[in-house]
Amino acid sequence: MQADVLLERAQVTPRAWFRCIDGCPGEIPLTTVIYRCPSCGALLEVAHDLQALRQRTAAEWQRLFDDRYKRTTWPYGSGVWGKKEWVQPHVEDSNVVSLDEGGSNLFWAERYGRELGLDELWIKQCGNSHTGSFKDLGMTVLVSTVKQMIADGSPIQAVACASTGDTSAALAAYCAVADIPAVVILPRDKISIPQLVQPLANGAVVLSVETDFDGCMSLVQQLAREPGIYLANSMNSLRVEGQKTVGIEIVQQFDWEVPHWVIIPGGNLGNTGALAAGFLMMRELGLINRLPRIAVAQAAAANPFFQSFERGFDFLEPIMAGTTLATAIQIGNPVSYEKAKRAVQQFDGVVEQATEDELAQAAARADHGGLFTDPHTGVALAVLEKLVAKGEIQKQHRTVVISTANGLKFPNFKVGYHEGTLPGIGDRYANRPHILSSDYEVVKAAALGAVDGSISNGSLRNQ
Amino acid sequence: MQADVLLERAQVTPRAWFRCIDGCPGEIPLTTVIYRCPSCGALLEVAHDLQALRQRTAAEWQRLFDDRYKRTTWPYGSGVWGKKEWVQPHVEDSNVVSLDEGGSNLFWAERYGRELGLDELWIKQCGNSHTGSFKDLGMTVLVSTVKQMIADGSPIQAVACASTGDTSAALAAYCAVADIPAVVILPRDKISIPQLVQPLANGAVVLSVETDFDGCMSLVQQLAREPGIYLANSMNSLRVEGQKTVGIEIVQQFDWEVPHWVIIPGGNLGNTGALAAGFLMMRELGLINRLPRIAVAQAAAANPFFQSFERGFDFLEPIMAGTTLATAIQIGNPVSYEKAKRAVQQFDGVVEQATEDELAQAAARADHGGLFTDPHTGVALAVLEKLVAKGEIQKQHRTVVISTANGLKFPNFKVGYHEGTLPGIGDRYANRPHILSSDYEVVKAAALGAVDGSISNGSLRNQ
């Protein structure tokens, strides 16, 4: 390569900007405090200068990402910031707020997969992260960008969100590390202290308001119009830039091979769009030459996306979401419907639903193979089982299920299942303690009998 | 290097064996079902053929460990199995039962460290692992060795332990993955279902017995004398081999530099001995040339090791451990006293204690900087604060605190602290929701007031 070409390569820096999702012209800097298109009011998305990124070949990007993966050079050991040029190239390394996101285990669910007749079933353990959910992937990008904005002179004083769970936990932790105040707005009667304890522990300002969740969303959007308050809800598209790395990382963990299927739980659907964005960017830049099929898994109690899919994606009919154990996807009017619909269409995807009983049984069955599954992942696993039963997913299909949260966040779900006290939920895979006297022969008989199968687990319950 | 030397190098394979901790002669294969010296009855430890390991230079080991770290070649991406030659060289790769142990974040506690006047305070997040505690590091070694023994023809039918918490969770998960039955024995009245739910979910045989914890220990040891039952409690020294990698990994994460201090919570004290073993092996093989100082942190309610240290390590006087929030170290007669005493002496160490109030305040204070700290880590942090106050740990000392479990395992500790309902515990760092009407001006005033500091967090409590 000639020297002048090298020089030119060095001069074109990767860059990204906000643009209108509906195609209005214009590039808006990522450090602008803005959430909607100033012309038409539609949501924004982040666009990348692909021409600049093409200066590296696909093989060079793969080698760079592999060289950085989980290494000690700040901040590139993070699964998100190891792909910094593809995510937020303008954030200076010193302004990155990283808690070692990504790099989570891609668990080979050998036993569970064998039971279903699959050669290769993998569970991407996104809940094994600093705050216990996949939200960390996006929040590192948002809070780092805010820190950059403050460094650049923006008068941001606090970051705010309305959230009942994982989003507020992630926001509070990243803001605590960065020493930026976080404000969390929640409906007073809907949320218990245990659901709040992560943001409280991390010192967030928690406002418990006499209204419902929609009321909180409206209040936080009003609040974000005050000078100095920045909005962290999912209408802010910065978080997608971090979340999209999950697809890139899965492919990287397969030594840059694309799986056949990726199954993801869907509620507000931002995650589905983000998953697609990562794969499309890899294909655009030549790192992969085909796409996986995507399956979006909805709880039957909150299934507007499934209903629309069944009608050929004619339109979104918002519903009043019913109660589901999968609380984080209990959403009747998903913000990211359009992006997710496009993703399903482009990825030859499907949308499937799972009842409360189905999600609980699938979660418990997977746990028998060594997992500790949250209810949202239970929805995805139940949908996996259905797609296998229908013959859509076949024996030789390498399949990845995205586990979005840590099961330790849901003790009541786990305890209730194994105690058999969840309303309307069977206890097919429930396991109970054998209650015994301290006589050694009794203990020995129970232990050996349970091990050799002559006594079923839990058959001694209540003795 | 000449060809015959290379040939010789290739021929001397790393190997390890059990030996008596009190020096009785003899080498016992690691695949023997044995827990005590057949001559004197003392505990066993694992010895390694250091001569064979010296075939690689220190730099070669570092490069090998770095090349493997978090990579996709099975099983070397695990933080434990990446050091396989130093851990369990005889286990075939196909018999390794790994859940991606180790590789956990070494969190730079910048804000909390600055408050304490330290330049470099780091928290090793061992609780961010498959089952949520550092026990995974040891259990992968034990269960993999069992799988190897079964493959070699040993008639093992089940692995058993008596444990109230993290050990049974780790045993159950690793056994579930390996499809080996696990038996957990627990005192009926001492343990609640939430404490059991991990082993129950993973399909372990859980025996809830009408006795106390000592009674359970005695029963499990009897049970382990039955043919086919293998003992997983900490008298089995295989687990130390995995746990010792935590010290190696910390040094590796500092690009092979040794920190000044490592602080570790101590109960049964197996962990302290394991930490020391990893550092000593690195020094023996030339990867490091000095040792850190070690501080062992005990709960004041369960402090026999601290008491012995204060008396110049004259002897261990077992005590009846009092109740502590740090339940996993509520132990009055630590099994690994001798090994831990030797470690403190060799590492110019100290033993310090923390009261219930001190551990809770330290945990909450650290959380304000973005952590979510379990009570055992709280003990270590309170001891850190004391050692800083005493001038033992100084500004420029690079200090690592080992966080042993995931805070998500302790919702009652967290909720109780922030609600102010933990008996005898002050709420100095407690944070409570601001309860507000839905009027926007009220919400705005509370948010902006809390952010700019004119309203304290929680000052609106109970409004």
Side-chain angles (χ1 to χ4, degrees), chain A residues 66 69 71-72 107 111 128 130 176 188 200 202 204 206 208 210 226 255 367 370-371 431 434-436 440, chain B residues 66 69 71-72 111 128 130 176 188 200 202 204 206 208 210 226 255 367 370-371 431 434-436 440:
Chain A
D66 284 343
Y69 189 72
R71 288 332 202 224
T72 55
F107 172 88
R111 286 183 63 195
N128 211 330
H130 189 85
R188 175 167 184 186
L200 286 172
N202 291 144
V206 177
S208 185
E210 305 279 3
E226 305 291 339
D255 296 328
D367 286 358
L371 289 159
N431 185 16
H434 302 242
I435 296 169
L436 305 168
Y440 176 65
Chain B
D66 284 343
Y69 190 72
R71 284 346 200 213
T72 55
R111 286 183 62 194
N128 210 331
H130 189 84
R188 176 166 180 186
L200 286 174
N202 291 142
V206 177
S208 185
E210 303 280 3
E226 305 291 340
D255 295 329
D367 286 356
L371 289 159
N431 185 16
H434 302 241
I435 296 170
L436 306 170
Y440 175 66

Side-chain angles (χ1 to χ4, degrees), chain A residues 338-354:
Chain A
E338 282 298 334
K339 283 187 193 175
K341 170 182 139 185
R342 231 178 292 162
V344 169
Q345 288 168 333
Q346 278 183 292
F347 285 71
D348 189 17
V350 297
V351 185
E352 188 47 272
Q353 64 177 351

Side-chain angles (χ1 to χ4, degrees), chain B residues 6-145:
Chain B
L6 280 170
L7 189 65
E8 191 189 359
R9 270 177 72 141
Q11 280 171 338
V12 186
T13 313
R15 65 188 197 91
W17 57 89
F18 285 128
R19 71 177 171 207
C20 171
I21 193 175
D22 281 351
C24 296
E27 298 184 0
I28 303 167
L30 295 178
T31 49
T32 314
V33 179
I34 193 166
Y35 317 106
R36 291 188 176 278
C37 173
S39 309
C40 76
L43 290 182
L44 301 172
E45 65 185 1
V46 176
H48 289 268
D49 180 353
L50 294 175
Q51 212 46 48
L53 294 175
R54 282 202 188 88
Q55 289 176 113
R56 279 200 174 88
T57 66
E60 285 170 343
W61 281 119
Q62 289 170 346
R63 194 161 50 242
L64 182 69
F65 293 165
D66 284 343
D67 285 348
R68 289 171 171 173
Y69 190 72
K70 301 298 281 180
R71 284 346 200 213
T72 55
T73 307
W74 176 267
Y76 301 103
S78 149
V80 172
W81 295 101
K83 284 98 183 169
K84 188 182 169 194
E85 295 83 355
W86 292 31
V87 172
Q88 290 279 278
H90 72 285
V91 172
E92 291 164 26
D93 291 350
S94 59
N95 289 321
V96 168
V97 184
S98 172
L99 298 170
D100 199 39
E101 315 71 29
S104 59
N105 191 20
L106 187 56
F107 173 88
W108 182 27
E110 190 182 1
R111 286 183 62 194
Y112 182 47
R114 194 166 48 222
E115 281 178 33
L116 301 183
L118 299 180
D119 292 337
E120 283 203 48
L121 174 61
W122 302 78
I123 316 281
K124 178 63 172 165
Q125 300 277 61
C126 295
N128 210 331
S129 76
H130 189 84
T131 75
S133 88
F134 79 101
K135 298 284 183 185
D136 289 0
L137 297 173
M139 205 54 80
T140 183
V141 171
L142 186 137
V143 176
S144 298
T145 305

